[in-house]
Amino acid sequence: MAKFYITTPIFYVNDKPHVGHAYTVIVADVLARYHRMRGDEVFYLTGTDEHGVKIQEIAEKQGKQPKELADGISAKFRLAWDTLNISNDGFMRTTDAHHEDAVRYALSEMYKQEWIYKGSYEALYCVGCEQYKMKSELVEGKCTDHNREPEVHSEEAYLFKLSHFAPEILKRIKSEKIKILPVTRHNEMVSFLELEGLNDIAISRRKEKVAWGIELPFDPNHTTYVWVDAFLNYITGLGWPKDKTRMEKFWPANVQLMSKDILRVHATIWQAILLALGLETSQTLFIHGFFTVDGQKMSKSLGNVVDPMEIAQTYGADVLRYHLMREISFGSDGDFSLRRLEERHESDLANGIGNLVARVLGMAEKYTGGKVPEITASVFSNVWDAYGSHFEKFQPDQALSAVWGFITDVDKFIDTEQPWVLAKTDTERLNFDLYILLESLRHLGRLVWPFMPSTAEKIFTQLGLPDELKVGYDEGKKWGGLQPGTRVTKGEGLFPRLIPNP
RNA sequence: CGCGGGGUAGAGCAGCCUGGCAGCUCGCCUGGCUCAUAACCAGGAGGUCGCCGGUUCAAAUCCGGCCCCCGCAACCA
């Protein structure tokens, strides 16, 4: 039995989840469920990143302790993922005690081996604000509030010997030992490393500056900065360093999903930390794009941030899952639009899968009293081959396309066979066709399960197959799994139209 | 010369890596069917694949140049 370990980034708890977070988590969920369906032993990890000066500041503004703030937002993420039916096996919080212990352990180890050394860090201090600034907060090198260049303060810090690992990392990326997908991202990283290389980076801040963080075990005046803390979740989530069996079974991760903005740090700093700790590097980094909303950048100031909870509550989790997986070509940027979501709901879900299921079960009730006929037969080309190969190539959107092609084939079959005529003229052929149709719905349920788990379960219920998910992958994709005599019932429509036609 | 993505039918997108009849969804037109959530099926109209040049028997696809749009600029998925 193969293992499959998949991770999403851990999300920063400065605000509640938005549709971009949801997208990453849904993609990971679809891949995780697909591998579970195949019978692989799966571990799916997500979580929240909770330390740092920003959290400290937001908490102060709200008159809260940082931990209190983090608890609240972290809970919102978990609730959102429950609502979206995300099947993660672990949820890491960087404030979990065993994570903090592990981070201290990692820091000590790296310090002992001199991968971490004392040096200095150049901080930018704006006298006007009386605050340190990030490079990203400056416009043309100036503080936006005071229109002046910040002073450069040199500050004691601990540095990580990232530069040492650059050649090895480049080698591994080139040889695809660390595989970066899609190809354009691989090329991007290779040229970045070849042209610019890597400098050592500061991994600590003075405690008076960033109090909300994990103290360095070898210097209580410093807390560790985001890198060591956040990245380690990918292995502390497996119980590292204590739980050796789980670590040995699942590490290295088969797929680490992320969006393009954090590729660089994952392909460099994170891999270097692993090397420094004597661990295997990641197998695959899969990079997806960003969303715009109705063609515009999603931002708080524009007020167009999409809340996945609202969408799920209005339309249903499966509708959002389907839409995101189908609409966005996996790996590239995409646009999120409610109008498109509603369009897809009507055409693909209501008219497509919803109508087909109702159509077939309606006929079964009408013509055979809801009993699966005694005849078994197959006519459709094997949709499973295309489906599986798309998944192997990390193209879940293509896999979905193949499933919808299958739906069209079944609709076509009904039109060609005209069961409503056969009902009057040829009972044997009618039964033959009905078996094919009902069995097709069983396959449809299985195909759709990784994407839309609730919908799949509804289909199985209507087909009288409560235990269908317990059937193994190879067994389940064979034709003829539906037993003659099974009692089927046309239940509630899967996706009632939002706008009934006149 | 900072990095990257994009410009393909009225709208939204795929195809480009690995050249070989330009494809999908929505919308529109015509026809069929009546089992189904007025759903389904067939046929059709609609595109100088941003512009210019090159390579090639053959270019949306490869190469060079230009124009326009959009992100990012080592913690916003």
Side-chain angles (χ1 to χ4, degrees):
Chain A
M1 186 159 67
K3 67 92 185 173
F4 185 75
Y5 179 37
I6 184 166
T7 69
T8 72
I10 47 175
F11 306 113
Y12 205 49
V13 291
N14 57 345
D15 208 348
K16 65 182 182 183
H18 59 63
V19 71
H21 299 116
Y23 178 69
T24 313
V25 167
I26 289 169
V27 169
D29 192 55
V30 170
L31 295 175
R33 283 176 187 271
Y34 170 73
H35 281 274
R36 278 195 208 104
M37 183 164 82
R38 301 224 35 160
D40 295 343
E41 194 168 354
V42 172
F43 198 86
Y44 169 16
L45 183 72
T46 186
T48 44
D49 180 14
E50 310 187 1
H51 290 124
V53 71
K54 212 167 188 174
I55 299 306
Q56 200 177 311
E57 283 170 5
I58 296 172
E60 262 169 44
K61 262 184 215 158
Q62 299 183 6
K64 288 179 183 167
Q65 290 301 310
K67 182 65 162 64
E68 199 184 341
L69 174 79
D71 284 346
I73 305 226
S74 183
K76 279 187 186 169
F77 274 90
R78 268 166 292 153
L79 176 64
W81 302 162
D82 280 350
T83 307
L84 294 181
N85 238 316
I86 303 302
S87 64
N88 56 303
D89 301 286
F91 189 96
M92 270 312 297
R93 302 183 55 187
T94 53
T95 52
D96 287 343
H98 89 270
H99 174 81
E100 296 192 346
D101 287 345
V103 169
R104 280 187 282 266
Y105 170 77
L107 288 165
S108 308
E109 285 300 302
M110 291 195 284
Y111 188 62
K112 244 187 260 171
Q113 292 167 44
E114 299 180 2
W115 297 126
I116 290 175
Y117 61 95
K118 199 177 209 171
S120 67
Y121 157 78
E122 306 223 313
L124 302 167
Y125 186 81
C126 172
V127 183
C129 306
E130 297 186 344
Q131 262 185 3
Y132 285 94
K133 293 283 171 179
M134 309 259 201
K135 264 194 195 157
S136 55
E137 292 176 273
L138 304 176
V139 175
E140 290 172 4
K142 290 179 177 176
C143 163
T144 47
D145 294 338
H146 298 90
N147 196 31
R148 62 192 291 174
E149 290 187 19
E151 295 171 6
V152 177
H153 286 193
S154 185
E155 183 184 297
E156 179 184 271
Y158 286 86
L159 303 185
F160 174 54
K161 276 192 194 165
L162 183 58
S163 56
H164 171 86
F165 297 99
E168 178 62 21
I169 289 170
L170 177 60
K171 196 176 110 194
R172 290 188 184 211
I173 290 175
K174 276 182 145 174
S175 68
E176 302 204 338
K177 185 158 170 39
I178 300 170
K179 196 168 184 181
I180 300 176
L181 292 172
V183 192
T184 54
R185 299 297 169 196
H186 166 93
N187 298 340
E188 198 179 322
M189 278 314 302
V190 169
S191 68
F192 168 72
L193 284 168
E194 283 180 342
L195 293 173
E196 303 191 33
L198 296 172
N199 297 319
D200 292 352
I201 51 156
I203 52 101
S204 79
R205 287 292 185 274
R206 296 217 32 110
K207 203 171 180 181
E208 58 268 22
K209 238 186 91 182
V210 184
W212 178 235
I214 299 170
E215 211 172 80
L216 297 186
F218 43 85
D219 189 338
N221 294 319
H222 287 257
T223 54
T224 187
Y225 203 44
V226 60
W227 312 123
V228 179
D229 184 5
F231 286 140
L232 281 178
N233 98 86
Y234 297 131
I235 53 176
T236 61
L238 293 175
W240 182 87
K242 284 185 184 155
D243 186 344
K244 295 208 168 49
T245 47
R246 207 148 50 126
M247 185 68 189
E248 270 164 28
K249 181 185 282 171
F250 287 109
W251 192 258
N254 297 65
V255 186
Q256 301 209 260
L257 269 180
M258 69 204 66
S259 65
K260 58 187 182 181
D261 57 318
I262 51 176
L263 163 61
R264 271 193 192 183
V265 292
H266 275 79
T268 57
I269 301 171
W270 169 225
Q271 305 309 319
I273 291 172
L274 287 165
L275 290 170
L277 291 171
L279 296 167
E280 265 308 317
T281 44
S282 311
Q283 241 169 53
T284 304
L285 305 179
F286 193 98
I287 318 307
H288 66 256
F290 275 155
F291 283 114
T292 48
V293 173
D294 295 320
Q296 281 186 308
K297 179 186 164 127
M298 183 163 69
S299 81
K300 278 186 219 170
S301 46
L302 285 171
N304 63 351
V305 176
V306 177
D307 181 349
M309 289 286 276
E310 278 177 28
I311 309 271
Q313 278 153 8
T314 310
Y315 300 94
D318 279 2
V319 176
L320 179 62
R321 292 172 64 110
Y322 175 80
H323 177 67
L324 291 177
M325 292 307 300
R326 186 70 194 269
E327 182 78 358
I328 283 97
S329 179
F330 192 40
S332 42
D333 288 345
D335 185 58
F336 182 87
S337 130
L338 262 192
R339 190 179 61 81
R340 290 285 300 153
L341 180 139
E342 292 194 347
E343 266 176 32
R344 283 217 174 272
H345 179 279
E346 299 301 67
S347 64
D348 295 0
L349 298 178
N351 299 350
I353 191 172
N355 180 61
L356 178 65
V357 171
R359 197 180 185 190
V360 170
L361 289 167
M363 287 194 278
E365 287 195 340
K366 192 172 290 185
Y367 300 141
T368 70
K371 253 176 80 180
V372 176
E374 297 293 336
I375 302 165
T376 66
S378 161
V379 289
F380 298 115
S381 66
N382 196 350
V383 59
W384 286 99
D385 291 343
Y387 182 81
S389 83
H390 287 310
F391 262 108
E392 299 315 316
K393 284 184 278 185
F394 294 103
Q395 299 174 326
D397 53 320
Q398 297 287 306
L400 257 194
S401 254
V403 176
W404 255 255
F406 177 67
I407 290 175
T408 298
D409 287 345
V410 179
D411 269 325
K412 227 174 262 188
F413 176 80
I414 297 173
D415 272 57
T416 313
E417 288 297 304
Q418 306 184 347
W420 52 93
V421 174
L422 297 177
K424 294 169 196 154
T425 59
D426 188 345
T427 315
E428 194 176 335
R429 180 151 184 170
L430 174 71
N431 285 337
F432 179 93
D433 288 350
L434 272 175
Y435 183 84
I436 288 171
L437 292 170
L438 291 165
E439 170 69 355
S440 294
L441 292 191
R442 185 183 70 83
H443 285 265
L444 183 58
R446 294 183 72 91
L447 290 161
V448 121
W449 179 75
F451 299 92
M452 302 193 286
S454 321
T455 301
E457 278 166 30
K458 282 181 197 162
I459 292 174
F460 294 142
T461 304
Q462 298 190 6
L463 285 175
L465 301 172
D467 296 327
E468 180 62 20
L469 285 171
K470 292 176 190 153
V471 179
Y473 183 75
D474 291 324
E475 192 58 31
K477 72 179 199 179
K478 278 186 200 152
W479 192 265
L482 186 61
Q483 294 308 307
T486 305
R487 179 67 57 181
V488 302
T489 36
K490 180 179 176 182
E492 294 268 299
L494 261 29
F495 299 98
R497 285 184 64 93
L498 299 169
I499 308 156
N501 284 323

